[in-house]
Amino acid sequence: MARRPDWLAGIDAQATIGIDAALFDAVRRAYDSPGRHYHAWPHIEACLAEFRRTRFDHPRTALLALLFHDAVYVPGRSDNEARSAELADRLIAEHSDLPADVRRRVSELIVLTASHHAGAGLDDDARKFIDIDLAVLGAPWPAYRAYADGVKREYCPAVVTEPQFSAGRLAFLDALLRQPQIYLTAEMRERREAAARRNIAAERAALST
């Protein structure tokens, strides 16, 4: 079995069978690229904490998708998810014995994060995967505020002006609040839905002033 880095402690060994240690090293290095303040390795560590408490039908696929879903991130680009999926496919092929259909599924999950609520008929694993990526919305307020501040630092002033950022951010927050349910699984709705709506409303009020 492949050597596993310390940050995978507590994750079932079945989720990493057939994966070479070089894959974990490569994906970890990807998050050291410049310009990241929220979409950085601490976000992945938070996702892994949620992964440890979530039961997936295909845990290895979900784990790989979580690890790679922000592996390529350039603020302001619209193709980060597609490029992350391409990187995942290439590195998984290079550093594992996983078949093409598994790599394809990893890529499909990653691309879902481009629009978390797009499309109907998602299976259980996809819904859980998306909820994990959005878990920060329902985190305690200090963690949520750090997330919101991190996203702003990624965009301002390198990509957009502060008024432009505020307008875009308000549109994003309003779209979240219009969703009948922010989270797609009953378990995450019970744990985080109410807090997410409070956090989003508080950020929205601050931006509006």
Side-chain angles (χ1 to χ4, degrees):
M1 188 176 78
R3 174 184 61 82
R4 305 199 323 170
D6 292 342
W7 46 263
L8 284 176
I11 289 177
D12 193 322
Q14 294 295 317
T16 59
I17 286 179
I19 302 172
D20 190 82
L23 179 69
F24 300 130
D25 294 338
V27 72
R28 175 63 187 87
R29 287 194 301 272
Y31 288 85
D32 291 334
S33 63
R36 297 174 183 260
H37 298 281
Y38 169 69
H39 295 87
W41 188 249
H43 169 53
I44 301 304
E45 291 181 322
C47 288
L48 291 175
E50 290 292 332
F51 178 87
R52 291 182 180 94
R53 62 181 296 162
T54 305
R55 183 181 296 276
F56 286 90
D57 291 332
H58 303 283
R60 182 169 54 180
T61 304
L63 174 64
L64 289 169
L66 285 171
L67 291 177
F68 277 97
H69 78 277
D70 284 327
V72 176
Y73 184 74
V74 180
R77 289 196 62 132
S78 62
D79 61 349
N80 287 316
E81 295 82 8
R83 294 170 69 205
S84 294
E86 291 169 1
L87 178 65
D89 185 73
R90 176 170 60 82
L91 290 178
I92 294 169
E94 183 177 349
H95 297 298
S96 80
D97 58 7
L98 303 184
D101 63 322
V102 173
R103 302 199 311 271
R104 184 164 52 250
R105 173 61 169 165
V106 170
S107 294
E108 290 170 355
L109 289 174
I110 292 170
V111 170
L112 284 177
T113 64
S115 181
H116 294 86
H117 290 89
L122 297 177
D123 61 28
D124 285 346
D125 276 9
R127 289 194 294 269
K128 292 172 183 176
F129 168 77
I130 290 171
D131 277 0
I132 286 176
D133 189 30
L134 295 179
V136 69
L137 298 177
W141 174 248
Y144 180 92
R145 184 172 56 188
Y147 143 72
D149 289 346
V151 172
K152 183 176 181 179
R153 291 176 66 196
E154 289 172 344
Y155 278 84
C156 294
V159 180
V160 295
T161 65
E162 187 162 340
Q164 289 171 328
F165 174 82
S166 295
R169 183 69 180 172
L170 281 168
F172 169 73
L173 297 176
D174 285 345
L176 285 173
L177 290 175
R178 285 195 299 269
Q179 293 287 341
Q181 299 167 332
I182 293 173
Y183 293 108
L184 303 178
T185 63
E187 190 272 342
M188 194 68 89
R189 286 196 297 270
E190 182 177 347
R191 288 174 50 216
R192 299 205 175 213
E193 182 85 17
R197 291 188 178 275
R198 287 194 301 271
N199 288 339
I200 293 168
E203 183 189 358
R204 193 191 185 290
L207 286 170
S208 298
T209 60

